């Protein structure tokens, strides 16, 4: 018989078939292989004493063949366990991402925290959610590669597929908001063609639902701004989100733009209204207000200082115009 065609030693392939599952959990593959190596070394060392005189070589070859089959059998057991574990982790990760998208993280759900912990999430630091079109087809290999890249870029990462959308949840250290946005931007090439939206950075995983909802709302509204950067922040899409009926964006615009101007006084709000209402013309606004154009320019700079949006910029003046319209519809703040 040719040496290369010798059958496997009897029973070697089934040596671990009767082992309880607890054995694979308590003894690692590395430990198993070390035990096999020790057994081979002992037999080789004492082969002269164990073998019938003249058969020492046959004994060593038999032990080597048997130990090889035992090692392969052990590797097969642990490979199956790893596959089962990987499939379970993938299902668990999908459930966790779905829960975050539905806002179930709010209120500190203990079961969700337990699932996150099982996935290796450390639970500390800032969090953001990034959504966009998925690459087709996004198979398990690409998903695993994306997960590895995301975890290298940020402290924690989860990857989920929802229909044709790719959802990435990133977590980092406390106060590391800028680092998380940079990490999310570095993952842009992993998304398919179309808008990619980064939700706002929140304090922790308990608020991840808020970032997820803003990102999803931004993704739905992104086609209304064809010139938007890629990726785009959800907070940069506030006017478009208002057009799609996003109540959160409406409240944010009123709170961050209209109310501060209303409380500032000094004709700042009136000047902004006149400037926007006269086709964004400094001279026309000055004539309407009976002031010098430099006065209008000065007041518009105050608007920029108060709100963070510059009325002299085309895009930001649109944001302010939407905020102004929303605030005027709501009317003055009611004093309780």
């Amino acid at each position: 018989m040719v040496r290369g065609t010798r059958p496997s030693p009897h029973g070697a392939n089934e040596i671990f078939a009767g082992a309880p599952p607890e054995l694979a959990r308590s003894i690692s593959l590395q430990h198993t292989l070390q035990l096999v190596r020790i057994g081979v070394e002992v037999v080789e060392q004492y082969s002269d004493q164990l073998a019938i005189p003249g058969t020492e070589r046959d004994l060593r070859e038999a032990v080597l063949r048997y130990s090889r089959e035992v090692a392969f059998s052990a590797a097969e057991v642990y490979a199956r366990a790893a596959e089962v574990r990987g499939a379970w982790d993938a299902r668990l990760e999908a459930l966790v991402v779905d829960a975050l998208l539905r806002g179930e993280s709010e209120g500190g759900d203990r079961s969700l925290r337990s699932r996150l912990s099982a996935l290796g999430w450390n639970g500390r630091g800032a969090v953001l959610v990034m959504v966009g079109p998925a690459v087709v087809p996004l198979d398990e290999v690409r998903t695993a590669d994306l997960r590895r890249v995301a975890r290298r870029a940020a402290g924690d990462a989860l990857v989920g597929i929802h229909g044709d959308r790719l959802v990435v949840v990133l977590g980092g250290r406390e106060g590391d908001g800028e680092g998380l946005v940079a990490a999310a931007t570095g993952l842009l090439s992993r998304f398919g063609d179309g808008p990619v939206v980064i939700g706002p950075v929140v304090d922790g995983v308990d608020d991840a639902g808020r970032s997820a909802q803003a990102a999803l709302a931004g993704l739905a509204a992104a086609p209304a701004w064809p010139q938007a950067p890629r990726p785009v922040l959800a907070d940069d899409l506030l006017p478009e989100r208002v057009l799609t009926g996003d109540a959160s964006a409406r409240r944010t615009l009123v709170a961050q733009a209209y109310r501060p101007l209303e409380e500032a006084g000094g004709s700042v709000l009136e000047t902004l209204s006149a400037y926007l209402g006269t086709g964004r013309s400094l001279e026309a606004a000055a004539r309407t207000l009976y002031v010098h154009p430099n006065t209008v320019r000065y007041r518009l700079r105050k608007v920029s200082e108060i709100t963070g949006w510059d009325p002299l910029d085309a895009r930001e003046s649109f944001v302010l115009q939407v905020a102004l319209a929303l605030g005027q519809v709501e009317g003055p703040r009611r004093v309780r």
Side-chain angles (χ1 to χ4, degrees), residues 68-321:
R68 181 194 64 184
E69 296 302 328
V70 170
F72 280 132
S73 181
E76 184 178 356
V77 170
Y78 285 97
R80 285 199 301 266
E83 289 177 358
V84 171
R85 175 68 181 179
W88 169 251
D89 285 350
R91 289 193 295 270
L92 182 59
E93 186 176 29
L95 290 173
V96 169
V97 172
D98 185 64
L100 292 177
L101 293 180
R102 295 199 305 267
E104 293 182 8
S105 59
E106 298 177 4
D109 186 350
R110 291 186 179 180
S111 63
L112 182 59
R113 280 189 169 276
S114 177
R115 294 173 184 172
L116 283 167
S117 178
L119 291 169
W121 188 281
N122 63 33
R124 300 182 181 87
V127 176
L128 67 75
V129 179
M130 182 181 190
V131 298
V135 176
V136 179
L138 188 61
D139 53 23
E140 294 182 3
V141 175
R142 290 185 178 180
T143 303
D145 182 55
L146 170 58
R147 189 179 295 107
R148 284 192 295 270
V149 172
R151 287 177 178 170
R152 285 197 298 266
D156 293 311
L158 298 173
V159 177
I161 307 297
H162 281 248
D164 58 350
R165 295 177 302 189
L166 174 61
V167 181
V168 179
V169 184
L170 299 179
R173 296 182 301 274
E174 186 175 357
D176 192 27
E178 293 184 0
L180 278 185
V181 173
T185 302
L187 300 175
L188 180 61
S189 62
R190 305 286 174 160
F191 288 79
D193 296 332
V196 177
V197 182
I198 300 175
V201 177
V202 295
D203 293 334
V205 72
D206 290 344
D207 296 323
R210 181 161 57 87
S211 180
Q213 293 301 321
L216 291 173
L219 187 64
W225 185 16
Q227 296 79 26
R230 188 175 186 269
V232 60
L233 299 178
D235 285 349
D236 289 343
L237 288 163
L238 288 173
E240 290 76 15
R241 288 166 54 190
V242 170
L243 295 177
T244 62
D246 185 355
S248 174
R250 180 190 183 102
R251 291 192 299 269
T252 300
L253 270 181
V254 173
Q256 295 184 2
Y258 184 81
R259 296 304 177 196
L261 293 174
E262 183 184 41
E263 295 169 358
S267 300
V268 177
L269 186 60
E270 180 187 9
T271 301
L272 176 63
S273 178
Y275 172 72
L276 296 175
T278 56
R280 296 171 174 77
S281 169
L282 293 173
E283 292 76 12
R287 288 193 298 268
T288 300
L289 298 171
Y290 300 102
V291 297
H292 194 274
N294 286 340
T295 302
V296 175
R297 186 177 287 105
Y298 169 78
R299 292 176 181 174
L300 293 180
R301 282 200 299 269
K302 293 293 292 182
V303 170
S304 179
E305 293 173 2
I306 293 170
T307 66
W309 284 291
D310 184 4
L312 300 180
D313 178 85
R315 168 65 189 177
E316 295 183 14
S317 68
F318 169 65
V319 176
L320 289 168
Q321 187 163 20

